[in-house]
Amino acid sequence: MADFLIHYMAPIMFAALVVFLLLGYPVAFALAANGIVFGLIGIELGLLHPILFQALPERVFGIMRNDTLLAIPFFTFMGLILERSGMAEDLLDTIGQLFGPLPGGLAYAVIFVGALLAATTGVVAASVIAMGLISLPIMLRYGYDRRLASGVIAASGTLAQIIPPSLVLIIMADQLGRSVGDMYAGAFVPGIILSSLYAGYVLLVTFVSPASAPPLPPEARTLRGVQLAVRCLVTLMPPLVLIFLVLGTIFLGIATPTEGGAMGATGAIILALAKRKLSWGLLRQAMDSTARLSSFVIFILVGSSVFSLTFRAVDGDLWVEHLLTSLPGGQVGFLVVVNVMVFLLAFFLDFFELSFIVVPLLGPVAEKLGIDLIWFGVLLGVNMQTSFMHPPFGFALFYLRSVAPVKEYVDVVTKKIMQPITTMQIYWGAVPFVVIQMIMVALVIAVPSMVTFMLDKGNGVDPNSIEIILEGDPVPGDGATDMPAVPGDETSQPDYVDPDAPVDENADENADKPADENADENPDESTDEDTEEKKQ
């Protein structure tokens, strides 16, 4: 039994973690408990040394010293302030008036505003709840299909997962050991393309079933002409300035992602102050929610550090690497299996849990297979979006369910009795957008340049060619003859002399001869008898 446990410790440990998660235990504590329990078992079996756990304090303090994670509370605080400052209401009202005359105009407005909110808030819950409260009653009032309205709102809210400044991209960059700025740059174009695919689906619906997404009636379009243009300019300017303040400074290299998040939080406070929405109660709610989310992330990260310490000590990383690198098909086979696995795990785990449990195991294998980790992180980010849209466990669907009407109600404008939205209508409305997200995953795999073309290619210097020359050392290429020996370079090292070997008395005499006289001699014939035979 002991031999079995020692040999299969890594897969047993991973299976135990999955069981704990399926039983509903908190992720952070399930990770930490598994790491500690299996670490103690390994010590008892003699597989591990007790000194292993002395590395835990340094790992925990390493998390606290990680400057990259500071971006999470900054962007969370910025999104919560903007959500409560009324920016979403103004945007939805104005863009709804702009696209209103078009069939499906309100759906286009929701997608456009969802992309803008994603680029300013980066918080899925804030986007879905705000658009559900504001746009859903209007869409139902003017005859939109309930499944289409639900799916558009939930899917547009999840754009905050992939469009910078996304929280999942920050965590992905940290876990893969890459720059947050590069991850943001790589994810920008796929996020825009995904928004366009959502809009393309709405356009298709308006052709196939025009009654599912009718245009706004003339009496509902209160703004026209110059008045509408001025309103659009005034409404769009603050979020666009904020987007440049955050993303523009990061992409231009003026600020780090952490500094960009700090500027974004400051800009959100100034915007709320300008709209006279800033109050102590709003600040307190935003700070309370930010502290909760940040603590949640840090606790999961500490738990995953405990788990990974023991998992790597029992060669779990080598087990996963062997498991995935032995798949048929090389890179393609690896990508297919990983994306299917992440898609299925997203039914049960949210993106935080996937980022802290699965990504650290997949990253080293992807790098060994020659896969660019920025591209790989963006690919996983697009795939993880589905964790918010999966029926029946998608969090975006839960957020929408919490604000969608569950009983009959009287519309405040038309005074008509409106029917509620059922949970099954929300689920079926999400299915087409999950399919679109999987199409986007296939596009990222098929056209990797959509991620990589915005990345900084650097100056082309190979780090392995860099040499450090101390003062007084000869410079390579200056003709110096007293260069120190370089390991592995036979031309610069003296021949090894065995002190026990017999001394060749003719060595000096042969050394004085021209090189061509000894050129034909066979080095294998080195004995005196062979030399005498040669002379005769």
Side-chain angles (χ1 to χ4, degrees):
M1 184 64 180
D3 293 337
F4 177 82
L5 286 175
I6 291 174
H7 190 67
Y8 294 103
M9 179 72 79
I12 293 173
M13 186 177 178
F14 190 78
L17 175 64
V18 173
V19 171
F20 270 96
L21 294 177
L22 293 178
L23 290 176
Y25 283 93
V27 179
F29 301 115
L31 285 166
N34 268 273
I36 293 174
V37 169
F38 279 92
L40 294 175
I41 293 174
I43 292 171
E44 184 66 26
L45 294 174
L47 179 63
L48 303 177
H49 197 277
I51 201 173
L52 173 72
F53 286 121
Q54 292 185 9
L56 276 181
E58 182 61 31
R59 284 193 166 219
V60 173
F61 282 108
I63 294 170
M64 300 304 171
R65 290 194 298 264
N66 191 342
D67 293 338
T68 302
L69 298 178
L70 276 175
I72 293 176
F74 284 142
F75 285 124
T76 304
F77 181 78
M78 178 183 74
L80 294 170
I81 290 291
L82 292 176
E83 176 202 352
R84 291 166 171 79
S85 66
M87 186 181 74
E89 291 91 332
D90 295 342
L91 283 172
L92 286 168
D93 183 39
T94 304
I95 305 302
Q97 292 287 323
L98 181 64
F99 291 115
L102 301 174
L106 287 177
Y108 294 136
V110 167
I111 294 170
F112 183 79
V113 173
L116 274 181
L117 291 177
T120 50
T121 64
V123 182
V124 173
S127 300
V128 174
I129 291 173
M131 292 190 294
L133 287 171
I134 301 162
S135 296
L136 188 58
I138 301 174
M139 298 174 82
L140 298 180
R141 179 184 304 155
Y142 296 113
Y144 270 69
D145 182 82
R146 282 168 162 71
R147 290 172 297 181
L148 176 63
S150 303
V152 165
I153 291 174
S156 300
T158 60
L159 289 172
Q161 281 288 96
I162 192 63
I163 294 180
S166 163
L167 297 184
V168 69
L169 294 178
I170 298 174
I171 297 172
M172 198 77 67
D174 178 69
Q175 294 298 303
L176 293 175
R178 291 297 183 266
S179 163
V180 177
D182 285 345
M183 198 70 76
Y184 279 177
F188 188 77
V189 172
I192 301 302
I193 293 176
L194 185 58
S195 306
S196 303
L197 290 177
Y198 289 165
Y201 171 71
V202 173
L203 180 64
L204 181 64
V205 170
T206 58
F207 281 123
V208 175
S209 177
S212 298
L216 280 179
E219 62 271 15
R221 302 199 294 268
T222 57
L223 298 176
R224 291 180 176 84
V226 177
Q227 187 181 8
L228 178 59
V230 172
R231 176 73 176 273
C232 288
L233 184 64
V234 172
T235 306
L236 288 174
M237 189 58 66
L240 292 177
V241 170
L242 197 59
I243 290 172
F244 174 76
L245 192 67
V246 176
L247 298 183
T249 54
I250 294 174
F251 290 161
L252 293 174
I254 300 173
T256 65
T258 302
E259 293 166 346
M263 288 193 294
T266 305
I269 292 175
I270 294 173
L271 186 60
L273 191 62
K275 290 191 172 188
R276 299 181 180 179
K277 296 290 183 67
L278 189 65
S279 64
W280 172 245
L282 185 148
L283 280 175
R284 184 173 181 178
Q285 289 179 359
M287 288 188 289
D288 180 65
S289 299
T290 301
R292 288 175 182 272
L293 181 63
S294 302
S295 302
F296 171 71
V297 172
I298 294 299
F299 263 91
I300 292 183
L301 192 52
V302 170
S304 68
S305 296
V306 178
F307 178 83
S308 66
L309 179 67
T310 304
F311 193 68
R312 291 177 186 276
V314 298
D315 293 332
D317 53 335
L318 300 179
W319 169 68
V320 173
E321 181 179 312
H322 175 72
L323 201 65
L324 295 177
T325 53
S326 60
L327 292 171
Q331 288 186 358
V332 177
F334 169 76
L335 291 173
V336 170
V337 170
V338 164
N339 279 284
V340 171
M341 180 181 68
V342 171
F343 179 79
L344 295 177
L345 288 175
F347 277 92
F348 313 103
L349 305 175
D350 68 7
F351 75 94
F352 276 124
E353 296 160 357
L354 289 171
S355 299
F356 287 125
I357 298 173
V358 179
V359 173
L361 300 177
L362 300 178
V365 183
E367 189 172 22
K368 187 170 184 179
L369 290 173
I371 297 174
D372 182 82
L373 291 187
I374 295 293
W375 176 83
F376 186 63
V378 173
L379 176 66
L380 291 182
V382 175
N383 199 336
M384 286 182 191
Q385 260 194 308
T386 59
S387 68
F388 278 90
M389 293 290 292
H390 274 317
F393 303 113
F395 283 95
L397 309 182
F398 292 158
Y399 299 146
L400 184 59
R401 175 71 279 176
S402 67
V403 297
V406 293
K407 298 179 181 178
E408 291 184 350
Y409 67 98
V410 178
D411 186 76
V412 294
V413 175
T414 62
K415 306 302 181 184
K416 294 180 181 178
I417 297 178
M418 306 298 294
Q419 296 299 317
I421 292 183
T422 65
T423 302
M424 289 306 299
Q425 286 173 335
I426 294 176
Y427 287 167
W428 281 112
V431 170
F433 292 94
V434 173
V435 174
I436 292 173
Q437 289 171 346
M438 297 314 297
I439 292 174
M440 189 66 213
V441 170
L443 285 176
V444 173
I445 294 176
V447 190
S449 59
M450 75 170 66
V451 174
T452 58
F453 88 99
M454 285 191 67
L455 301 180
D456 182 14
K457 301 300 182 183
N459 54 10
V461 176
D462 182 8
N464 296 323
S465 66
I466 298 175
E467 296 183 11
I468 300 176
I469 301 174
L470 300 178
E471 186 177 357
D473 287 348
V475 179
D478 66 349
T481 58
D482 55 345
M483 288 181 61
V486 179
D489 188 354
E490 297 178 359
T491 62
S492 61
Q493 291 188 18
D495 294 331
Y496 173 72
V497 179
D498 188 352
D500 298 327
V503 179
D504 185 2
E505 298 178 354
N506 299 323
D508 295 336
E509 180 182 349
N510 292 335
D512 295 332
K513 293 181 181 180
D516 56 344
E517 292 184 14
N518 298 324
D520 296 330
E521 291 184 10
N522 190 338
D524 295 330
E525 299 175 355
S526 57
T527 63
D528 292 336
E529 296 178 359
D530 293 340
T531 305
E532 287 294 324
E533 290 176 3
K534 206 168 200 180
K535 288 180 179 179
Q536 293 175 1

